[in-house]
Amino acid sequence: MPLEAVLAHPFACPTRSLLCGAQRGARSDGWRAEAAPRAIRYWADDLHLLLAFVRRGEALAYLPQFVLEDPALVRVEVADRAVEATETAWFVWDRRTAPGWLKATAAALRAD
């Protein structure tokens, strides 16, 4: 899909990085606003709320790779994107006290 078509839609964005928690405003999800300004309609620091906007078709979101494994989401490939953003995250957890979702995430990361 051309970048122009993607930018015609509203976006949902966190105010803080979903991976490290740093408050970066419109850059919190890694979108390169200087290369492609977008209209952010919804701000949500909760991943479930952010995904709800996307699942209901109310907004697009620039999401981490692990979230895109959700079969309810449609991944849009931007044909003429000017930049590609990557972020490295260290996953540190205590397997004895971690909640179930965190254990499942760690198992999935080990499988990759």
Coordinates of all heavy atoms in Angstrom, one line a residue, residues 49-107:
L49 N -6.0 -1.5 24.9 CA -6.8 -0.4 24.5 C -6.4 0.1 23.1 O -7.2 0.3 22.2 CB -6.8 0.8 25.4 CG -7.6 2.0 25.1 CD1 -9.1 1.7 24.9 CD2 -7.5 3.1 26.1
L50 N -5.1 0.2 22.9 CA -4.5 0.5 21.6 C -5.0 -0.5 20.5 O -5.5 -0.1 19.4 CB -3.0 0.5 21.7 CG -2.3 1.1 20.5 CD1 -2.4 2.6 20.3 CD2 -0.8 0.7 20.6
L51 N -4.9 -1.8 20.8 CA -5.3 -2.8 19.9 C -6.9 -2.8 19.6 O -7.3 -3.1 18.6 CB -4.9 -4.2 20.4 CG -3.4 -4.4 20.3 CD1 -3.1 -5.8 21.0 CD2 -2.9 -4.4 18.9
A52 N -7.6 -2.4 20.6 CA -9.1 -2.3 20.5 C -9.4 -1.3 19.4 O -10.3 -1.5 18.6 CB -9.7 -1.9 21.8
F53 N -8.7 -0.1 19.4 CA -9.0 0.8 18.3 C -8.7 0.2 16.9 O -9.4 0.5 16.0 CB -8.1 2.1 18.5 CG -8.5 2.9 19.7 CD1 -7.5 3.2 20.7 CD2 -9.7 3.4 19.9 CE1 -7.8 4.0 21.8 CE2 -10.1 4.2 21.0 CZ -9.1 4.5 21.9
V54 N -7.6 -0.5 16.8 CA -7.2 -1.1 15.6 C -8.2 -2.2 15.2 O -8.7 -2.3 14.0 CB -5.8 -1.7 15.7 CG1 -5.4 -2.4 14.4 CG2 -4.8 -0.6 15.9
R55 N -8.6 -3.1 16.1 CA -9.5 -4.2 15.8 C -10.9 -3.7 15.4 O -11.5 -4.4 14.6 CB -9.6 -5.1 17.0 CG -8.4 -6.0 17.2 CD -8.6 -7.0 18.3 NE -7.4 -7.8 18.5 CZ -6.8 -7.8 19.7 NH1 -7.2 -7.1 20.7 NH2 -5.7 -8.5 19.8
R56 N -11.3 -2.6 16.0 CA -12.6 -2.1 15.6 C -12.6 -1.3 14.3 O -13.6 -0.7 13.8 CB -13.2 -1.2 16.7 CG -13.6 -1.9 17.9 CD -14.4 -1.1 18.9 NE -13.7 0.1 19.3 CZ -13.1 0.3 20.5 NH1 -13.0 -0.6 21.4 NH2 -12.5 1.5 20.7
G57 N -11.4 -1.1 13.7 CA -11.2 -0.4 12.5 C -11.3 1.1 12.6 O -11.5 1.8 11.6
E58 N -11.1 1.6 13.8 CA -11.1 3.0 14.1 C -9.8 3.7 13.8 O -9.8 4.9 13.6 CB -11.5 3.3 15.5 CG -12.9 2.8 15.9 CD -13.3 3.0 17.3 OE1 -12.8 4.0 17.9 OE2 -14.0 2.1 17.8
A59 N -8.7 3.0 13.8 CA -7.4 3.6 13.6 C -6.4 2.5 13.1 O -6.6 1.3 13.3 CB -6.9 4.2 14.9
L60 N -5.3 3.0 12.6 CA -4.1 2.2 12.3 C -3.2 2.4 13.5 O -3.3 3.4 14.2 CB -3.5 2.6 11.0 CG -4.3 2.5 9.7 CD1 -3.4 3.0 8.6 CD2 -4.8 1.1 9.5
A61 N -2.2 1.5 13.6 CA -1.2 1.6 14.7 C 0.1 1.0 14.2 O 0.1 0.0 13.4 CB -1.6 1.0 16.0
Y62 N 1.2 1.6 14.6 CA 2.5 1.1 14.2 C 2.9 0.3 15.4 O 3.2 0.8 16.5 CB 3.5 2.3 14.0 CG 4.8 2.0 13.5 CD1 4.9 1.4 12.2 CD2 6.0 2.3 14.1 CE1 6.2 1.1 11.7 CE2 7.2 2.1 13.6 CZ 7.3 1.4 12.4 OH 8.5 1.2 11.9
L63 N 2.9 -1.0 15.2 CA 3.1 -2.0 16.4 C 4.3 -2.8 16.3 O 4.9 -3.1 15.2 CB 1.8 -2.9 16.4 CG 0.5 -2.2 16.5 CD1 -0.6 -3.2 16.2 CD2 0.3 -1.7 17.9
P64 N 4.8 -3.2 17.5 CA 6.0 -4.1 17.5 C 5.7 -5.5 16.8 O 4.5 -5.9 16.7 CB 6.2 -4.4 19.0 CG 5.4 -3.3 19.7 CD 4.3 -2.9 18.8
Q65 N 6.7 -6.1 16.3 CA 6.5 -7.3 15.5 C 5.8 -8.4 16.3 O 4.9 -9.1 15.8 CB 7.9 -7.9 15.2 CG 7.9 -9.1 14.3 CD 7.4 -8.9 12.9 OE1 7.6 -7.8 12.4 NE2 6.8 -9.8 12.4
F66 N 6.0 -8.6 17.6 CA 5.4 -9.6 18.4 C 3.9 -9.5 18.4 O 3.1 -10.4 18.5 CB 6.0 -9.8 19.8 CG 5.6 -8.7 20.7 CD1 4.4 -8.7 21.5 CD2 6.4 -7.5 20.9 CE1 4.1 -7.7 22.4 CE2 6.0 -6.5 21.8 CZ 4.9 -6.6 22.5
V67 N 3.4 -8.2 18.3 CA 1.9 -8.0 18.4 C 1.3 -8.4 17.0 O 0.1 -8.9 17.0 CB 1.6 -6.5 18.6 CG1 0.2 -6.2 18.6 CG2 2.2 -6.1 20.0
L68 N 2.0 -8.3 16.0 CA 1.5 -8.7 14.6 C 1.2 -10.1 14.4 O 0.7 -10.5 13.4 CB 2.5 -8.2 13.6 CG 2.7 -6.6 13.6 CD1 3.7 -6.3 12.5 CD2 1.4 -5.9 13.3
E69 N 1.6 -11.0 15.4 CA 1.3 -12.4 15.3 C -0.2 -12.7 15.6 O -0.7 -13.7 15.3 CB 2.1 -13.2 16.3 CG 3.6 -13.0 16.1 CD 4.1 -13.4 14.7 OE1 3.6 -14.4 14.2 OE2 5.0 -12.6 14.2
D70 N -0.9 -11.7 16.1 CA -2.4 -11.8 16.4 C -3.1 -12.0 15.1 O -3.1 -11.1 14.2 CB -2.8 -10.5 17.1 CG -4.3 -10.6 17.5 OD1 -5.1 -11.3 16.9 OD2 -4.6 -9.8 18.5
P71 N -3.8 -13.1 14.9 CA -4.5 -13.4 13.7 C -5.7 -12.4 13.4 O -6.2 -12.3 12.3 CB -5.1 -14.8 13.8 CG -5.1 -15.1 15.3 CD -4.0 -14.2 15.9
A72 N -6.1 -11.6 14.4 CA -7.2 -10.7 14.2 C -6.7 -9.4 13.6 O -7.5 -8.5 13.2 CB -7.9 -10.4 15.6
L73 N -5.4 -9.2 13.4 CA -4.8 -8.0 12.9 C -4.4 -8.3 11.4 O -4.0 -9.3 11.1 CB -3.6 -7.6 13.7 CG -3.9 -7.2 15.2 CD1 -2.6 -6.8 15.8 CD2 -4.9 -6.1 15.3
V74 N -4.5 -7.2 10.6 CA -4.0 -7.3 9.3 C -2.8 -6.4 9.2 O -2.8 -5.2 9.5 CB -5.1 -6.7 8.3 CG1 -4.6 -6.7 6.9 CG2 -6.3 -7.6 8.4
R75 N -1.7 -7.0 8.7 CA -0.4 -6.2 8.5 C -0.5 -5.5 7.2 O -0.8 -6.1 6.2 CB 0.7 -7.2 8.6 CG 2.0 -6.5 8.5 CD 3.1 -7.6 8.6 NE 4.4 -6.9 8.6 CZ 5.5 -7.4 9.0 NH1 5.5 -8.6 9.6 NH2 6.6 -6.7 8.9
V76 N -0.1 -4.2 7.2 CA -0.1 -3.4 6.0 C 1.4 -3.2 5.7 O 2.1 -2.6 6.5 CB -0.8 -2.1 6.2 CG1 -0.7 -1.2 5.0 CG2 -2.3 -2.3 6.5
E77 N 1.8 -3.6 4.5 CA 3.1 -3.3 4.0 C 3.1 -2.0 3.3 O 2.3 -1.8 2.3 CB 3.6 -4.4 3.1 CG 3.9 -5.7 3.8 CD 5.2 -5.7 4.6 OE1 6.1 -4.9 4.4 OE2 5.2 -6.5 5.6
V78 N 3.9 -1.0 3.7 CA 4.0 0.3 3.1 C 5.0 0.2 1.9 O 6.2 0.0 2.2 CB 4.3 1.4 4.1 CG1 4.4 2.7 3.4 CG2 3.3 1.4 5.2
A79 N 4.6 0.3 0.7 CA 5.4 0.1 -0.4 C 6.5 1.2 -0.6 O 7.6 0.8 -1.0 CB 4.5 0.1 -1.7
D80 N 6.3 2.4 -0.3 CA 7.2 3.5 -0.5 C 7.7 4.1 0.8 O 7.9 5.3 0.8 CB 6.7 4.5 -1.5 CG 5.3 5.0 -1.0 OD1 4.7 4.5 0.0 OD2 4.8 6.0 -1.6
R81 N 7.9 3.3 1.8 CA 8.4 3.9 3.1 C 9.8 4.4 2.9 O 10.6 3.8 2.3 CB 8.2 2.9 4.2 CG 9.1 1.7 4.0 CD 9.0 0.8 5.2 NE 9.8 -0.3 5.1 CZ 9.5 -1.6 4.9 NH1 8.2 -1.9 4.8 NH2 10.4 -2.5 4.8
A82 N 10.0 5.5 3.6 CA 11.3 6.2 3.4 C 12.3 5.7 4.4 O 13.5 5.7 4.2 CB 11.1 7.7 3.6
V83 N 11.9 5.1 5.5 CA 12.8 4.6 6.6 C 12.2 3.4 7.2 O 11.1 3.0 7.1 CB 12.9 5.7 7.7 CG1 13.6 6.9 7.2 CG2 11.6 6.0 8.4
E84 N 13.1 2.6 7.8 CA 12.7 1.5 8.6 C 13.2 1.6 10.0 O 14.4 1.8 10.2 CB 13.2 0.2 7.9 CG 12.7 -1.0 8.6 CD 12.7 -2.3 7.7 OE1 12.6 -2.1 6.5 OE2 12.8 -3.4 8.3
A85 N 12.4 1.5 11.0 CA 12.8 1.6 12.4 C 12.9 0.3 13.1 O 12.1 -0.6 12.9 CB 11.8 2.5 13.1
T86 N 14.0 0.1 13.9 CA 14.1 -1.0 14.7 C 14.5 -0.6 16.1 O 15.0 0.5 16.3 CB 15.2 -2.0 14.2 OG1 16.4 -1.3 14.1 CG2 14.9 -2.5 12.8
E87 N 14.1 -1.4 17.1 CA 14.4 -1.1 18.4 C 14.8 -2.4 19.1 O 14.2 -3.4 18.9 CB 13.2 -0.5 19.2 CG 13.5 -0.1 20.6 CD 12.4 0.7 21.2 OE1 11.6 1.3 20.5 OE2 12.4 0.9 22.4
T88 N 15.9 -2.3 19.9 CA 16.4 -3.5 20.6 C 15.9 -3.4 22.0 O 15.9 -2.4 22.7 CB 17.9 -3.6 20.6 OG1 18.4 -3.6 19.2 CG2 18.4 -4.8 21.3
A89 N 15.3 -4.5 22.5 CA 14.8 -4.6 23.9 C 15.4 -5.8 24.6 O 15.5 -6.9 24.0 CB 13.3 -4.6 23.9
W90 N 15.8 -5.6 25.8 CA 16.2 -6.7 26.6 C 15.0 -7.2 27.4 O 14.3 -6.4 28.1 CB 17.3 -6.3 27.6 CG 18.6 -6.0 26.8 CD1 19.0 -4.8 26.2 CD2 19.6 -6.9 26.6 NE1 20.2 -5.0 25.6 CE2 20.6 -6.3 25.8 CE3 19.8 -8.3 26.9 CZ2 21.8 -6.9 25.4 CZ3 21.0 -8.9 26.5 CH2 21.9 -8.2 25.7
F91 N 14.8 -8.5 27.4 CA 13.7 -9.1 28.1 C 14.2 -9.7 29.4 O 14.9 -10.7 29.3 CB 13.0 -10.1 27.2 CG 11.7 -10.6 27.7 CD1 10.6 -9.8 27.7 CD2 11.6 -12.0 28.1 CE1 9.4 -10.3 28.1 CE2 10.4 -12.4 28.5 CZ 9.3 -11.6 28.6
V92 N 13.9 -9.1 30.5 CA 14.4 -9.6 31.8 C 13.2 -9.9 32.7 O 12.3 -9.1 32.9 CB 15.3 -8.5 32.5 CG1 15.8 -9.0 33.9 CG2 16.4 -8.1 31.6
W93 N 13.2 -11.1 33.2 CA 12.1 -11.6 34.1 C 12.5 -12.6 35.0 O 13.6 -13.3 34.9 CB 11.0 -12.0 33.2 CG 11.3 -13.3 32.3 CD1 12.3 -13.4 31.3 CD2 10.8 -14.6 32.5 NE1 12.3 -14.6 30.9 CE2 11.4 -15.4 31.5 CE3 9.8 -15.1 33.3 CZ2 11.1 -16.7 31.4 CZ3 9.5 -16.4 33.1 CH2 10.2 -17.2 32.2
D94 N 11.7 -12.8 36.0 CA 12.0 -13.9 37.0 C 10.9 -15.0 36.8 O 9.7 -14.8 37.1 CB 11.8 -13.3 38.4 CG 12.1 -14.3 39.5 OD1 12.2 -15.5 39.3 OD2 12.4 -13.9 40.7
R95 N 11.4 -16.1 36.3 CA 10.4 -17.2 35.9 C 9.6 -17.7 37.1 O 8.6 -18.2 36.9 CB 11.2 -18.3 35.2 CG 12.0 -19.2 36.1 CD 12.7 -20.3 35.3 NE 13.9 -19.6 34.7 CZ 14.4 -19.9 33.5 NH1 13.8 -20.8 32.8 NH2 15.4 -19.3 33.1
R96 N 10.1 -17.5 38.3 CA 9.4 -18.0 39.5 C 8.2 -17.2 39.9 O 7.2 -17.7 40.4 CB 10.4 -18.1 40.7 CG 11.5 -19.1 40.5 CD 12.6 -18.9 41.6 NE 13.2 -17.6 41.4 CZ 13.7 -16.9 42.4 NH1 13.9 -17.4 43.6 NH2 14.2 -15.7 42.1
T97 N 8.3 -15.9 39.6 CA 7.2 -15.0 40.0 C 6.4 -14.4 38.8 O 5.5 -13.6 39.1 CB 7.7 -13.9 40.9 OG1 8.7 -13.1 40.2 CG2 8.3 -14.5 42.2
A98 N 6.8 -14.6 37.6 CA 6.2 -14.0 36.5 C 4.8 -14.5 36.2 O 4.5 -15.7 36.4 CB 7.1 -14.2 35.2
P99 N 3.9 -13.6 35.8 CA 2.5 -14.0 35.5 C 2.5 -14.9 34.2 O 3.5 -14.9 33.5 CB 1.8 -12.7 35.3 CG 2.8 -11.7 35.0 CD 4.1 -12.2 35.7
G100 N 1.4 -15.6 34.0 CA 1.3 -16.5 32.9 C 1.6 -15.9 31.5 O 2.3 -16.5 30.7
W101 N 1.1 -14.7 31.3 CA 1.3 -14.1 30.0 C 2.8 -13.8 29.7 O 3.3 -13.9 28.6 CB 0.5 -12.8 29.8 CG 0.9 -11.6 30.6 CD1 0.5 -11.3 31.9 CD2 1.9 -10.7 30.3 NE1 1.2 -10.2 32.3 CE2 2.1 -9.8 31.4 CE3 2.7 -10.5 29.2 CZ2 2.9 -8.7 31.4 CZ3 3.6 -9.4 29.2 CH2 3.7 -8.6 30.3
L102 N 3.5 -13.5 30.8 CA 4.9 -13.2 30.6 C 5.7 -14.5 30.4 O 6.6 -14.5 29.5 CB 5.4 -12.5 31.9 CG 6.8 -11.9 31.9 CD1 7.0 -10.9 30.7 CD2 7.1 -11.1 33.1
K103 N 5.3 -15.5 31.0 CA 5.9 -16.8 30.8 C 5.7 -17.3 29.3 O 6.6 -17.8 28.7 CB 5.4 -17.9 31.8 CG 5.9 -17.7 33.2 CD 5.3 -18.7 34.1 CE 5.8 -18.4 35.6 NZ 5.2 -19.3 36.5
A104 N 4.5 -17.1 28.8 CA 4.2 -17.4 27.4 C 5.0 -16.6 26.5 O 5.5 -17.1 25.4 CB 2.7 -17.3 27.2
T105 N 5.1 -15.3 26.8 CA 5.9 -14.4 25.9 C 7.4 -14.9 25.9 O 8.0 -15.0 24.8 CB 5.8 -13.0 26.4 OG1 4.5 -12.6 26.4 CG2 6.6 -12.1 25.5
A106 N 7.9 -15.2 27.0 CA 9.3 -15.7 27.1 C 9.5 -17.0 26.3 O 10.5 -17.2 25.6 CB 9.7 -15.9 28.6
A107 N 8.5 -17.9 26.4 CA 8.6 -19.2 25.7 C 8.6 -18.9 24.2 O 9.3 -19.5 23.5 CB 7.5 -20.1 26.1

